[in-house]
Amino acid sequence: MADELDLLRRANPVPTDGPHYGDGPLDHHAERRLDALLRQRTARRPRLYWGLAAGGVVAALVSALLFTGQTTAPAAAAPRPLVVRADSTPVPLETLAERARVADGSAVLRKGTHVRTWSLGMSDDKPPITYPEERIVRWNADDSHTETVDDGRHRTTRTYPPSWSDAPPQSPPPHDVARLRAYLQEAAYSKTPLDTGELLDAVDYVLDTWHLGARETAALAQLLAGTDGLKPVGQVTDRLGRRGQAYVYEQSGTRRMLIMDPATGAVLGLETTFTKAEPEYGVKAGDVMDYSAWTG
C-alpha cells in the first residue's frame, strides 16, 4: 500500500505548471503515472487489462470526452495482429545491437515524440472498443512544449508552460547500458530490477517522451540483447508500412512484439496481443490489446 500511495502522489494530477482549473485534463505524463498505478493494482487481477499505449482506458475516455464533447468515445475497427513473414530469417538481438553500434551516428537525442497508438478498452457489459490516437509532442528552448492529439475525429493542440525535472523520463536517457538500465527502472517507479515485461513497459514510456539518438539507441539495443525471453521471430511490416525485425516475449496470457529497425536498431513499434480468450470481456485469443508506432 505504501508503494501505491507514493506512486499516486508522484502522479500529481494537478502539477504547479499544469492547467489551473479544477476540471482540467491531466497532462500526458500524469496520465501515464496514473496508468502505472492502475497496472500495479490490476496486476493482482489478471483478467482486467488496460491499453498502455494510449494511456489506458481512462485516458482514452477522458480524451474522447474532452476533444469531442460526446458522452461515448468513437469506436474504431480493431487492428489485426502483425504477421511475421514466413520466408524471413530471425536476426538475434546481439546482431542487431552490433549493427546499432556501427550505424550512422548522426541521429541526436531530442526531447519530444510522434507516436500513433491503438488501445483496446473493455468493460463488463459492452463489447471491446479500439481507441486510435496520434500524438505529437514538441519541446521548445525555454522548456515549454506543445502537445497535439488527434483521435481520428478531432485534432487538438495544447501548449504547456516551461517545466523541468531531473527524474526519468523527463531527464535525458543515458547512453551507457548500466546507467540506462537504472534509468528505466526509475522511470518505471520500481525499487527492484525490471523483468522483461516491465522493461518493455518502461521503454514504451520513455519513447513517449524522447526520440533517441544513435548512442542511446545502441545502448538500448545492447540492453535488450541481454534480457530473458525476448526471442527473435523474423521480419514484419508494421502498421506504417515499415519493415522491421520482430522480437517476442510471452507472459501472463499476453504476447509482446517489439519491432526494431533492422539497420539501426531503433525501436519502431510495440504490440501486445492476447494469447488466451477472455470471454467475459468479449476478447479472443489473438486480439490486439495495444500497439504503438513511433516515428520521431
Side-chain angles (χ1 to χ4, degrees):
M1 178 62 72
D3 288 343
E4 292 176 357
L5 289 175
D6 180 63
L7 183 58
L8 184 59
R9 292 188 188 101
R10 294 180 69 179
N12 189 12
V14 189
T16 56
D17 61 349
H20 294 288
Y21 43 90
D23 295 327
L26 306 184
D27 70 12
H28 177 58
H29 301 296
E31 287 175 358
R32 295 303 294 267
R33 291 168 186 166
L34 180 58
D35 181 58
L37 177 62
L38 292 173
R39 281 181 51 75
Q40 186 181 84
R41 294 185 62 86
T42 57
R44 303 178 190 131
R45 300 178 62 192
R47 293 186 303 169
L48 297 179
Y49 294 88
W50 299 82
L52 304 180
V57 176
V58 172
L61 289 172
V62 168
S63 296
L65 293 174
L66 290 172
F67 301 150
T68 69
Q70 298 180 357
T71 57
T72 302
R80 294 181 178 180
L82 297 178
V83 177
V84 178
R85 286 186 52 181
D87 60 346
S88 63
T89 301
V91 175
L93 269 166
E94 292 80 3
T95 301
L96 201 65
E98 178 60 31
R99 291 178 185 175
R101 283 194 293 271
V102 299
D104 177 16
S106 61
V108 297
L109 180 68
R110 173 175 52 78
K111 195 171 187 180
T113 190
H114 184 176
V115 57
R116 293 187 63 185
T117 60
W118 294 259
S119 194
L120 189 67
M122 291 170 289
S123 68
D124 293 325
D125 58 351
K126 295 181 178 64
I129 297 175
T130 297
Y131 298 92
E133 182 181 272
E134 181 177 15
R135 187 175 64 258
I136 303 172
V137 181
R138 293 292 179 251
W139 287 76
N140 303 313
D142 64 354
D143 287 324
S144 64
H145 69 280
T146 60
E147 181 170 298
T148 300
V149 178
D150 189 333
D151 65 4
R153 298 183 60 181
H154 293 81
R155 187 177 181 91
T156 303
T157 298
R158 288 190 173 88
T159 299
Y160 294 89
S163 64
W164 182 87
S165 172
D166 60 358
Q170 293 299 311
S171 59
H175 53 265
D176 170 84
V177 173
R179 290 172 56 216
L180 180 59
R181 189 188 309 275
Y183 176 96
L184 292 170
Q185 181 176 322
E186 186 176 353
Y189 308 108
S190 176
K191 296 180 180 179
T192 58
L194 304 180
D195 63 25
T196 301
E198 293 168 334
L199 179 63
L200 293 176
D201 288 341
V203 170
D204 184 330
Y205 190 15
V206 170
L207 292 179
D208 277 354
T209 306
W210 292 91
H211 177 67
L212 301 185
R215 296 187 300 174
E216 293 78 20
T217 291
L220 178 57
Q222 186 63 49
L223 174 58
L224 292 170
T227 58
D228 295 326
L230 192 56
K231 301 177 181 179
V233 293
Q235 187 181 101
V236 298
T237 300
D238 78 355
R239 292 191 172 85
L240 301 184
R242 303 171 297 182
R243 290 188 178 183
Q245 284 292 326
Y247 301 86
V248 165
Y249 176 72
E250 294 193 12
Q251 182 185 41
S252 303
T254 62
R255 183 187 75 163
R256 313 292 297 279
M257 178 184 283
L258 183 72
I259 302 100
M260 302 176 72
D261 187 296
T264 68
V267 174
L268 302 179
L270 183 62
E271 176 186 79
T272 306
T273 56
F274 292 94
T275 57
K276 63 180 182 180
E278 295 288 344
E280 59 268 50
Y281 298 108
V283 172
K284 303 182 296 298
D287 283 352
V288 176
M289 182 197 301
D290 58 56
Y291 179 80
S292 293
W294 293 277
T295 61

